[in-house]
């Protein structure tokens, strides 16, 4: 009888684990599609809101760059260690070290509870606003990270091909 109970418990645990999995099957192809986390959805929303602010100001929207999304997510997580424009490795956050993305502009935030709050905060800060509304950007990415205490850290990265910002 104990063996039967143990098997039932193992089956229940496996079912719970499968239920908690964060993928949804793609019924057409049999592939699984990951469900974006809250922080990933927040990062996408930050870009949408930043581009809406650009459009309100008469500046063209900036296309999302998947590599910048990854870099911004890394940078947002680093902020939980050191909330500074100096990265934990001692480099400034305008330098990514990647050949195609050597020099970028970063806006950082901490403690804002939503994408709308952080974009509003940046828009009310002259330097951050200037970064967001610069007309010469070629790509944008954003990241959000939540630490174990629930604090949200934010990063938006703007990039211009060649890293040179004329008129800035």
């Amino acid at each position: 009888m104990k063996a039967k109970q143990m098997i039932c418990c193992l089956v229940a645990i496996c079912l719970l684990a499968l239920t908690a999995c964060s993928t949804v099957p793609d019924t057409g192809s049999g592939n699984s599609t990951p469900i974006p986390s809250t922080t990933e959805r927040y990062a996408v929303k930050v870009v949408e809101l930043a581009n809406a602010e650009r459009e309100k100001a008469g500046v063209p929207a900036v296309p999302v760059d998947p590599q910048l999304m990854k870099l911004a997510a890394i940078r947002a997580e680093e902020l939980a260690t050191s909330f500074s424009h100096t990265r934990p490795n001692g480099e400034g956050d305008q330098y990514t070290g990647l050949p195609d993305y050597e020099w970028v502009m970063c806006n950082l935030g901490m403690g804002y509870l939503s994408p709308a709050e952080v974009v509003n905060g940046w828009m009310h800060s002259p330097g951050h606003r200037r970064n967001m509304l610069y007309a010469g950007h070629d790509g944008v990415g954003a990241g959000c990270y939540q630490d174990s205490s629930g604090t949200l850290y934010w990063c938006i990265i703007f990039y211009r091909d060649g890293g040179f910002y004329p008129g800035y």
Side-chain angles (χ1 to χ4, degrees), residues 39 48 59 83 99 105 127 146 157:
T39 54
E48 290 173 5
V59 180
F83 187 76
M105 289 184 186
Q146 186 172 34
I157 298 176

Side-chain angles (χ1 to χ4, degrees), residues 12-63:
I13 290 169
C14 288
L15 287 174
L16 283 172
L18 288 173
T19 304
C21 189
S22 64
T23 59
V24 174
D26 175 353
T27 56
S29 66
N31 293 332
S32 293
T33 306
I35 298 173
S37 68
T38 299
T39 54
E40 290 169 329
R41 288 191 307 271
Y42 278 1
V44 169
K45 188 66 176 176
V46 164
V47 171
E48 290 173 5
L49 292 170
N51 273 328
E53 291 294 340
R54 291 173 62 82
E55 289 174 359
K56 279 195 267 185
V59 180
V62 183

Side-chain angles (χ1 to χ4, degrees), residues 1-159:
M1 192 66 161
K2 283 192 175 203
K4 238 183 192 179
Q5 288 174 336
M6 185 177 266
I7 290 171
C8 286
C9 285
L10 288 173
V11 168
I13 290 169
C14 288
L15 287 174
L16 283 172
L18 288 173
T19 304
C21 189
S22 64
T23 59
V24 174
D26 175 353
T27 56
S29 66
N31 293 332
S32 293
T33 306
I35 298 173
S37 68
T38 299
T39 54
E40 290 169 329
R41 288 191 307 271
Y42 278 1
V44 169
K45 188 66 176 176
V46 164
V47 171
E48 290 173 5
L49 292 170
N51 273 328
E53 291 294 340
R54 291 173 62 82
E55 289 174 359
K56 279 195 267 185
V59 180
V62 183
V64 173
D65 183 313
Q67 184 67 24
L68 290 178
M69 293 296 285
K70 290 176 189 172
L71 289 170
I74 291 167
R75 188 68 192 101
E77 187 171 353
E78 289 176 346
L79 295 174
T81 301
S82 173
F83 187 76
S84 168
H85 281 284
T86 301
R87 299 180 70 188
N89 68 2
E91 294 177 343
D93 65 5
Q94 74 282 0
Y95 180 71
T96 67
L98 298 178
D100 293 335
Y101 299 91
E102 287 190 4
W103 295 97
V104 296
M105 289 184 186
C106 294
N107 285 355
L108 309 177
M110 179 180 83
Y112 292 97
L113 300 177
S114 71
E117 280 188 21
V118 72
V119 170
N120 185 55
W122 289 331
M123 289 302 292
H124 285 89
S125 164
H128 294 105
R129 179 184 178 88
R130 183 177 182 202
N131 286 350
M132 288 182 54
L133 300 182
Y134 178 74
H137 295 307
D138 294 315
V140 65
C144 178
Y145 175 76
Q146 186 172 34
D147 71 10
S148 60
S149 70
T151 301
L152 294 171
Y153 297 85
W154 307 85
C155 176
I156 190 167
I157 298 176
F158 294 97
Y159 171 75

